[in-house]
Amino acid sequence: MGSRKKVHAFVRVRPTDDFAHEMIKYRDDNKTIDIHLKKDTRRGVVNNQQTDWSFKLDRVLHDASQDLVYETVAKDVVSQALNGFNGTIMCYGQTGAGKTYTMTGATENYKHRGILPRALQQVFRMIEERPTHAITVRVSYLEIYNESLFDLLSTLPYVGPSATPMTIVENPQGVFIKGLSVHLTSQEEDAFSLLFEGETNRIIASHTMNKNSSRSHCIFTIYVEARSRTLSDEKYVTSKINLVDLAGSERLGKSRSEGRVLKEATYINKSLSFLEQAIIALGDQKRDHIPFRQCKLTHALKDSLGGNCNMVLVTNIYGEAAQLEETLSSLRFASRMKLVTTEPAINEKYDAERMVKNLEKELALLKQELAIHDSLANRTLVNYDPMDEIQIAEINSQVRRYLEGTLEEIDIINLRQIQEVFNQFRMVLSQQEQEVESTLRRKYTLIDKNDYAAISAVQKAGLVDTDGHLVGEPDGQGFGLGVAPFSIKPGKKSKSKKMFKEQLRPSTPPTKPVAFEDFKNERGSEINRIFKENKSILNERRKRASETTQRINAIKREIDMTKEALNLQKSLREKQGKYENKGLMIIDEEEFLLILKLKDLKKQYRTEHQDLRDLRAEVQYCQHLVDQCRHRLLTEFDIWYNESFFVPEDLQMALKPGGGIRPGMMPLNKIVSLGEDDQDRFGQLQQTTLPEGPDSVSFYNAKVKMEQKHNYVKTMMALQQAHRK
């Protein structure tokens, strides 16, 4: 287990024009906040009323931006989660003090996003920085409203409402919510969509203290599982980050709540009171029993409160004199929380299947080692221990020297050394293959020989010879585009080029769009042809990927329907009673056919899913080829345009072969846009015009999709109501 550490507690003051400077003061250490309250003169001469309080926390965040709050409060907790440490970040305070703004932020504005969306973004950024690990991310969104548990993501079409109420269950691994849906997210935009979906389902109400008061406690949980891509490493780590937005405590006299809002306030204050009791008990070292089960909130957070996690509390307070009593209460809670200690430790688990395979491999290796040792009776000591990094590096050096010819032979010591020698040979060969392929990709457009659609496209374009061999352009500039047309082979001058030379240069150069069309039809015709062919291949792959996705969705729906039918058959069989023959369960023919159908559907689903992964990889590669051709076409056009219309005639001779100026040495002008489709232009426009830069694309995409979904739902409901009328 890890060493014990205290909970970090921060206080964030809501900005206000009516700040009580005489009553609330900050010390220079930026950690201590002093509260001064004037004595009540109505109590008479003998007045023992306390008037001064001092609270020392980890930091006071006054007039702090959302960026500063996240860097101070949450960044380290999220960073350690990918190393296997659990984390919890909780926002506490009176109603209207800014808890939801701190945790979620304003979803309409990217800069004002809170801790939760920033944590999601940081998780996916860190995943990109760890290519050696396969990391999966899942999320869930729980709401505790009036002591009842609700799944904020149950409105998704593939989830649906649960038939049984959710319950809190404890096991040796910890506390979890039975019936709460957990969603796999493979990219940042999907996670934002789930967050926005849950936010739209939260329960809010209005009262005098807050127009949009949260009427429930919400826990957004990010589950992380990191596995090494090395097959021999059977150990992996898991962690979860609980982001808790508590409903605000409120004085009923100030909020003037009535009816349903009054009932909600009663439940909120009761659960927060139980939370404070649990915190007091955790801070008392002499207490053996901690009252976690008094309410759903403390029970659900049992792992987080004083458990195996990094715990952070953000206390939100008002800076106004009218709210001083609630501010004192919130600061007392923060001080009590600082007395609580947690014991963070890495959550390591072992993959049993990998462990068994590694042990079997090790056993077989030891047997072979002993056999060789017995056969070589004239040898002395043989080292059976695994090789360390220094020995592996030495073998790598020997292999490289052997290939270079500076080492005549490699001495054989034992079986491990022989296997490592072959392994190093494989690594060196793989590195050389990658270097050759990288060089070829920089110089040529490579096409897979098994890709018949691509081969057919280049054959139509006349870019392969009769034997199907691809040949690079004869200009020697190292950009492989296929077989050069007969019209531009060495010794054959292009007719259009000859006519161009015979013409006098115009006094006024043509506009770039006009010149660009001429360039694509003449000098740049081959590059333009390849660009169009690659674009058609890209569109064909995109279409196939879309069709495969539709088939996968159809299969998934059929799997769900088959599961429902199978569950119905099982329930009917259980009601009718079990039939057994020699200890084997007997099922009817209809249930047996459903089982076979479900098995076939799952097999189809896996096959289609693998095809979709392959198609996505092909789309990514084809997009790279399209971008490469576009860049080459634009670059060569700019060179041709500048040298044809802006270079003085006395320098034209220098541009000929053998001259002092090589083509391309002229300065480039503005790049003319190439016929991109609407999706390409929209994507580029997004990344260049968004005020917050490319990092905000996923955030805004998820926001737009959520708005489109709700607009669609509203439209359909309006149409249904009109139809009923």
Side-chain angles (χ1 to χ4, degrees):
M1 296 293 291
S3 59
R4 300 196 68 85
K5 58 185 293 188
K6 290 186 178 295
V7 172
H8 291 289
F10 302 89
V11 60
R12 188 181 192 185
V13 185
R14 175 170 176 164
T16 177
D17 296 332
D18 192 19
F19 188 80
H21 294 282
E22 296 181 357
M23 299 180 179
I24 303 175
K25 295 183 179 180
Y26 312 120
R27 295 192 187 177
D28 295 336
D29 61 359
N30 207 22
K31 295 182 179 181
T32 306
I33 181 170
D34 296 326
I35 307 294
H36 173 72
L37 186 65
K38 294 181 180 179
K39 282 193 175 184
D40 188 356
T41 56
R42 293 175 297 180
R43 295 192 178 186
V45 179
V46 180
N47 188 349
N48 295 325
Q49 177 188 2
Q50 184 176 352
T51 58
D52 294 285
W53 293 265
S54 181
F55 301 94
K56 186 171 184 179
L57 305 170
D58 289 283
R59 184 164 179 179
V60 177
L61 299 168
H62 182 60
D63 289 335
S65 65
Q66 295 282 67
D67 287 333
L68 178 60
V69 170
Y70 185 78
E71 291 287 331
T72 306
V73 172
K75 187 174 182 179
D76 290 341
V77 175
V78 176
S79 177
Q80 292 188 43
L82 265 73
N83 296 325
F85 291 94
N86 292 335
T88 298
I89 303 171
M90 181 188 299
C91 287
Y92 176 90
Q94 75 176 107
T95 181
K99 299 180 300 301
T100 301
Y101 179 76
T102 299
M103 181 57 68
T104 308
T107 55
E108 296 80 11
N109 192 312
Y110 179 74
K111 287 185 178 179
H112 295 165
R113 67 197 190 284
I115 291 174
L116 208 163
R118 291 173 188 268
L120 287 172
Q121 197 170 37
Q122 182 183 348
V123 167
F124 283 98
R125 291 292 181 274
M126 293 180 67
I127 290 175
E128 293 176 357
E129 296 171 359
R130 301 191 180 191
T132 58
H133 286 75
I135 302 176
T136 57
V137 179
R138 295 176 174 84
V139 299
S140 65
Y141 211 167
L142 172 69
E143 180 182 51
I144 304 176
Y145 173 72
N146 291 354
E147 280 300 290
S148 297
L149 304 176
F150 296 95
D151 185 356
L152 289 176
L153 300 179
S154 62
T155 55
L156 293 171
Y158 55 87
V159 179
S162 176
T164 57
M166 292 190 294
T167 56
I168 302 174
V169 180
E170 293 187 45
N171 59 21
Q173 284 73 38
V175 177
F176 70 97
I177 311 300
K178 185 178 180 180
L180 180 64
S181 63
V182 181
H183 304 262
L184 177 66
T185 58
S186 58
Q187 55 186 357
E188 185 179 322
E189 186 177 326
D190 295 341
F192 282 140
S193 298
L194 293 171
L195 168 62
F196 296 148
E197 176 73 23
E199 286 297 309
T200 57
N201 297 327
R202 290 189 63 173
I203 298 176
I204 61 173
S206 176
H207 54 72
T208 57
M209 299 290 294
N210 190 355
K211 291 183 179 180
N212 297 301
S213 175
S214 300
R215 312 309 296 165
S216 60
H217 310 298
C218 291
I219 305 173
F220 188 95
T221 306
I222 306 172
Y223 307 87
V224 180
E225 182 179 295
R227 295 174 181 264
S228 173
R229 295 187 186 276
T230 306
L231 294 177
S232 60
D233 191 356
E234 66 270 4
K235 184 168 61 177
Y236 66 98
V237 296
T238 61
S239 62
K240 63 179 180 179
I241 310 171
N242 288 322
L243 300 161
V244 187
D245 181 15
L246 298 174
S249 60
E250 56 185 82
R251 293 181 181 270
L252 302 182
K254 287 187 177 181
S255 63
R256 300 173 188 174
S257 301
E258 297 179 351
R260 179 178 64 85
V261 180
L262 175 61
K263 179 182 177 182
E264 293 169 347
T266 304
Y267 274 106
I268 291 170
N269 290 338
K270 181 180 178 182
S271 62
L272 292 176
S273 176
F274 287 141
L275 174 63
E276 189 165 5
Q277 291 178 21
I279 297 302
I280 292 173
L282 286 167
D284 187 357
Q285 303 295 331
K286 298 180 181 179
R287 290 283 295 269
D288 294 330
H289 173 69
I290 310 298
F292 284 120
R293 293 173 178 258
Q294 291 188 109
C295 67
K296 299 286 179 61
L297 176 63
T298 53
H299 197 185
L301 294 176
K302 181 179 179 180
D303 287 345
S304 303
L305 302 174
N308 172 26
C309 77
N310 293 307
M311 178 74 182
V312 174
L313 173 72
V314 182
T315 303
N316 296 85
I317 63 172
Y318 273 103
E320 299 175 359
Q323 312 297 334
L324 203 59
E325 291 184 16
E326 289 81 0
T327 297
L328 278 171
S329 176
S330 298
L331 291 173
R332 289 192 189 101
F333 181 86
S335 297
R336 295 188 183 107
M337 182 64 86
K338 276 191 65 65
L339 299 176
V340 177
T341 59
T342 62
E343 195 170 357
I346 298 178
N347 299 299
E348 291 183 342
K349 296 183 179 180
Y350 291 87
D351 190 326
E353 185 177 354
R354 282 190 181 183
M355 189 182 299
V356 169
K357 288 183 178 179
N358 289 339
L359 290 174
E360 290 176 347
K361 185 178 179 181
E362 183 73 16
L363 181 60
L365 188 65
L366 289 174
K367 289 180 179 179
Q368 295 172 10
E369 192 79 53
L370 289 172
I372 292 180
H373 179 70
D374 293 338
S375 64
L376 301 175
N378 58 340
R379 296 181 58 189
T380 56
L381 180 63
V382 177
N383 185 13
Y384 295 99
D385 296 330
M387 291 188 172
D388 55 23
E389 294 181 358
I390 298 176
Q391 292 172 323
I392 294 174
E394 175 61 27
I395 292 176
N396 181 274
S397 175
Q398 292 177 1
V399 168
R400 292 184 180 277
R401 283 185 286 141
Y402 179 81
L403 293 174
E404 293 170 357
T406 58
L407 183 65
E408 293 185 359
E409 59 181 18
I410 300 175
D411 295 332
I412 296 177
I413 300 175
N414 55 34
L415 185 60
R416 287 186 188 272
Q417 185 252 0
I418 295 173
Q419 290 183 332
E420 189 59 40
V421 167
F422 281 105
N423 185 40
Q424 293 302 320
F425 270 113
R426 187 193 303 122
M427 290 180 60
V428 172
L429 177 61
S430 176
Q431 291 173 0
Q432 291 178 349
E433 288 177 348
Q434 291 176 3
E435 291 172 0
V436 171
E437 183 178 355
S438 176
T439 303
L440 289 174
R441 288 187 185 280
R442 287 197 302 269
K443 298 177 65 177
Y444 303 102
T445 300
L446 304 181
I447 298 177
D448 187 359
K449 289 185 177 181
N450 296 323
D451 191 347
Y452 300 108
I455 292 176
S456 176
V458 296
Q459 284 177 344
K460 291 179 181 179
L463 303 179
V464 294
D465 57 16
T466 55
D467 296 329
H469 297 146
L470 293 171
V471 184
E473 226 180 19
D475 58 2
Q477 296 182 16
F479 189 81
L481 295 173
V483 176
F486 180 77
S487 60
I488 61 169
K489 286 184 178 179
K492 293 284 185 177
K493 293 186 177 180
S494 174
K495 183 177 180 181
S496 60
K497 191 172 181 180
K498 183 177 180 181
M499 292 174 62
F500 179 80
K501 285 186 175 182
E502 292 175 354
Q503 294 175 353
L504 294 175
R505 181 161 47 165
S507 58
T508 302
T511 61
K512 277 202 169 184
V514 174
F516 188 54
E517 293 301 322
D518 294 338
F519 174 77
K520 289 193 294 183
N521 294 329
E522 296 178 1
R523 180 172 170 178
S525 60
E526 291 306 313
I527 305 177
N528 187 44
R529 180 185 298 175
I530 289 297
F531 171 77
K532 290 181 178 179
E533 295 296 337
N534 286 342
K535 194 65 179 287
S536 66
I537 295 172
L538 174 62
N539 292 335
E540 188 268 338
R541 292 296 190 277
R542 283 177 174 171
K543 181 180 179 182
R544 285 174 55 188
S546 177
E547 293 172 351
T548 304
T549 302
Q550 293 176 3
R551 289 198 300 271
I552 289 175
N553 292 335
I555 294 173
K556 182 64 171 63
R557 288 192 295 269
E558 193 170 355
I559 287 175
D560 294 338
M561 294 172 60
T562 305
K563 284 183 177 179
E564 291 180 2
L566 187 59
N567 290 333
L568 180 60
Q569 288 291 326
K570 288 181 179 179
S571 62
L572 291 175
R573 173 164 50 82
E574 290 175 355
K575 289 180 181 180
Q576 295 173 358
K578 298 181 179 179
Y579 297 94
E580 296 184 358
N581 183 13
K582 298 181 180 180
L584 298 176
M585 183 66 66
I586 298 176
I587 60 176
D588 59 12
E589 183 179 358
E590 185 175 357
E591 185 175 353
F592 178 71
L593 292 176
L594 285 173
I595 293 173
L596 293 179
K597 181 180 179 181
L598 183 61
K599 183 178 179 181
D600 293 338
L601 287 172
K602 288 182 177 180
K603 184 178 179 180
Q604 293 178 27
Y605 183 85
R606 287 192 293 269
T607 304
E608 294 288 348
H609 195 270
Q610 182 61 41
D611 292 343
L612 181 60
R613 291 181 60 183
D614 296 340
L615 283 171
R616 285 176 175 171
E618 292 181 18
V619 167
Q620 185 177 3
Y621 179 66
C622 291
Q623 183 66 56
H624 172 72
L625 295 180
V626 169
D627 295 340
Q628 192 179 45
C629 287
R630 179 187 293 124
H631 175 73
R632 179 62 183 273
L633 185 59
L634 294 173
T635 302
E636 292 205 356
F637 165 70
D638 240 354
I639 295 171
W640 171 82
Y641 186 80
N642 286 321
E643 295 177 353
S644 299
F645 301 106
F646 295 100
V647 178
E649 293 183 5
D650 56 349
L651 291 180
Q652 289 290 335
M653 296 298 295
L655 290 172
K656 293 183 177 180
I661 302 178
R662 292 183 291 105
M665 292 177 65
M666 294 289 105
L668 297 179
N669 207 331
K670 294 182 179 179
I671 295 178
V672 179
S673 64
L674 186 62
E676 304 164 338
D677 53 30
D678 294 338
Q679 191 65 31
D680 292 339
R681 284 198 297 272
F682 177 71
Q684 294 180 4
L685 185 66
Q686 269 191 325
Q687 299 192 22
T688 54
T689 60
L690 285 176
E692 293 83 8
D695 288 344
S696 63
V697 172
S698 298
F699 182 88
Y700 282 121
N701 281 347
K703 186 66 180 176
V704 168
K705 288 181 180 179
M706 183 56 55
E707 291 175 353
Q708 291 174 346
K709 175 185 175 182
H710 287 288
N711 290 336
Y712 172 77
V713 172
K714 290 179 181 178
T715 304
M716 294 302 296
M717 291 177 65
L719 290 173
Q720 290 176 0
Q721 291 177 358
H723 180 69
R724 290 172 184 172
K725 291 181 181 180

